[in-house]
Amino acid sequence: MDKFRIMVQFLQANQESFMNGICGIMALASAQMYSSFEFTCPCLPDYNYAYGTGILIVPPIWFFLLGYVLNNNISVLTEEWKRPVGKRRKDPAVLRYMFSSMTQRALIAPTVWVAVTLMDGKSFLCAFSATTDLSEFLNESHQSLSEKELLKLQARIPCKDVFDGHEIISREAATRYIRCLSQACGWTFLMVITIAAFLIRAIRPCFTQAAFLKTKYWSHYIDTERKLFDETCKEHAKSFAKVCIQQYFESISGEIVPQFQLPTKKGKGNKDDDGENQKSDEEKILGIRKEEDMNKVLWNWHTCKPALFLNKHTQNMNMNGHAHLDTLTLSDEHYTHTPMKNTAVAYYSKV
């Protein structure tokens, strides 16, 4: 369980590397799915084009949407786009940067699928075998066939078991010709994608470096702020639950006195626990002791996020944009600070 928690914390801390790994896995999965996919062309003039183009277009769309679903930043982008302005304005450049970053990662798997499909040439052969000009591969006896019969014959070229016009058209030569066209389209597609990626990743920061750094910084800030807010809410909910349960049992049985305390092990692994035990659960709830107060805090965080202005005096919470809570509901809470103990230390010399 501890190893699993450490792994989850590592993935959360390195979310960008994790998302790049997910995109790479999706790209490999798309290629593996195509290799294991059983391609069955209908070999009918009315259905070949729809089936071939469907294999070329529909799976990339599915991989593209899946890339958005697996990206955690899609919810961050949506929340930032739909949230009320409040005391913090919304920068469209930051939203565009976040959207472009997610789109670039989501396009990796569809690009691999389209490239592998075009390089293989099966779907291209099925889609365009009936409409491609194959007059160079026809024998002189084709003149006795009508245009409709010739169309049906060309539509059966992808199906080796069904094709029966070897004396009219050379199936092997026609297949190689169409696959050659498919591979040419595949290399052209890869070249266009590579040039576009180069222009986006390399040339854009050279012209707008200051704006690029600003949008990159605030996009990271939005993501980090949401993570820290979720962690703070989890810690507060845990402390709130502990205090609530303790008060419940104290109200039932008077006071709970622990019978014994297990000795704590001293070691490197207890450093985090010792740091957490410095504050009691009463201090961790930050003076919010009622359900209505907590609901108001969460609502104010959504409707009126604090302004991005940090002051030196943390006592003045208004300058940092924090919303007010009812004074009546929070007047009963008093922060208790434990006084520092002054201990005298005597040093004895062995000399």
Side-chain angles (χ1 to χ4, degrees), residues 259-293:
Q259 298 295 331
F260 60 93
Q261 294 182 353
L262 294 176
T264 58
K265 297 181 180 180
K266 296 183 179 180
K268 297 181 180 180
N270 292 330
K271 291 183 179 180
D272 295 337
D273 297 336
D274 295 336
E276 293 178 359
N277 292 332
Q278 291 179 358
K279 288 186 177 181
S280 63
D281 293 328
E282 290 282 350
E283 294 174 340
K284 289 182 180 180
I285 61 177
L286 303 176
I288 304 174
R289 308 182 62 88
K290 293 184 179 181
E291 180 182 1
E292 294 79 8
D293 297 338

Side-chain angles (χ1 to χ4, degrees), residues 29-47:
S30 64
Q32 185 64 27
M33 285 180 61
Y34 181 83
S35 61
S36 61
F37 176 71
E38 185 177 355
F39 189 87
T40 306
C41 184
C43 295
L44 295 173
D46 298 333
Y47 300 99

Side-chain angles (χ1 to χ4, degrees), residues 51-327:
Y51 183 81
T53 54
I55 295 299
L56 188 64
I57 295 176
V58 174
I61 295 176
W62 179 76
F63 278 114
F64 181 72
L65 297 177
L66 185 62
Y68 277 120
V69 172
L70 296 179
N71 198 325
N72 296 328
N73 290 332
I74 187 65
S75 59
V76 179
L77 176 62
T78 306
E79 292 177 3
E80 183 66 18
W81 177 43
K82 297 296 293 183
R83 70 170 177 85
V85 177
K87 296 183 178 181
R88 183 188 303 180
R89 68 182 185 89
K90 292 186 285 188
D91 191 355
V94 177
L95 300 179
R96 287 194 299 267
Y97 175 82
M98 296 174 65
F99 180 75
S100 63
S101 299
M102 291 185 295
T103 303
Q104 291 174 19
R105 290 190 176 96
L107 284 174
I108 296 178
T111 302
V112 173
W113 177 274
V114 174
V116 172
T117 304
L118 291 176
M119 290 299 181
D120 185 67
K122 291 181 181 179
S123 64
F124 193 91
L125 176 63
C126 180
F128 299 100
S129 61
T131 57
T132 305
D133 185 13
L134 301 177
S135 58
E136 298 180 359
F137 308 102
L138 293 175
N139 297 328
E140 296 180 356
S141 58
H142 82 281
Q143 297 178 358
S144 60
L145 296 176
S146 62
E147 184 177 356
K148 186 176 182 180
E149 292 177 350
L150 183 61
L151 186 64
K152 290 182 179 179
L153 182 62
Q154 289 186 202
R156 290 196 294 268
I157 291 178
C159 304
K160 185 178 181 180
D161 300 334
V162 179
F163 185 75
D164 55 356
H166 296 281
E167 68 281 356
I168 301 175
I169 187 173
S170 176
R171 179 187 175 277
E172 184 177 356
T175 301
R176 290 187 177 184
Y177 174 72
I178 297 176
R179 285 195 171 184
C180 179
L181 295 177
S182 177
Q183 291 178 0
C185 294
W187 283 112
T188 304
F189 173 77
L190 288 177
M191 183 62 66
V192 171
I193 292 297
T194 304
I195 294 175
F198 172 77
L199 294 177
I200 294 174
R201 302 285 293 182
I203 297 181
R204 185 186 65 177
C206 296
F207 292 98
T208 57
Q209 183 66 18
F212 177 76
L213 292 176
K214 184 187 72 171
T215 54
K216 185 177 181 180
Y217 173 85
W218 289 115
S219 65
H220 289 327
Y221 172 83
I222 293 172
D223 186 26
T224 305
E225 184 187 54
R226 186 197 182 194
K227 292 178 182 178
L228 293 178
F229 182 78
D230 293 340
E231 293 176 1
T232 304
C233 289
K234 290 180 181 179
E235 184 178 357
H236 185 276
K238 184 177 180 180
S239 301
F240 192 91
K242 284 184 178 180
V243 175
C244 183
I245 293 173
Q246 183 178 2
Q247 291 181 356
Y248 170 75
F249 280 100
E250 288 178 355
S251 64
I252 297 297
S253 58
E255 183 178 4
I256 299 177
V257 179
Q259 298 295 331
F260 60 93
Q261 294 182 353
L262 294 176
T264 58
K265 297 181 180 180
K266 296 183 179 180
K268 297 181 180 180
N270 292 330
K271 291 183 179 180
D272 295 337
D273 297 336
D274 295 336
E276 293 178 359
N277 292 332
Q278 291 179 358
K279 288 186 177 181
S280 63
D281 293 328
E282 290 282 350
E283 294 174 340
K284 289 182 180 180
I285 61 177
L286 303 176
I288 304 174
R289 308 182 62 88
K290 293 184 179 181
E291 180 182 1
E292 294 79 8
D293 297 338
M294 192 66 222
N295 292 335
K296 190 171 183 179
V297 168
L298 298 175
W299 175 256
N300 289 335
W301 177 261
H302 171 71
T303 57
C304 185
K305 284 190 176 182
L308 298 177
F309 174 77
L310 303 180
N311 53 343
K312 295 182 179 179
H313 302 285
T314 58
Q315 290 84 359
N316 189 5
M317 305 300 292
N318 296 331
M319 295 186 65
N320 198 20
H322 290 275
H324 289 284
L325 294 177
D326 295 336
T327 55

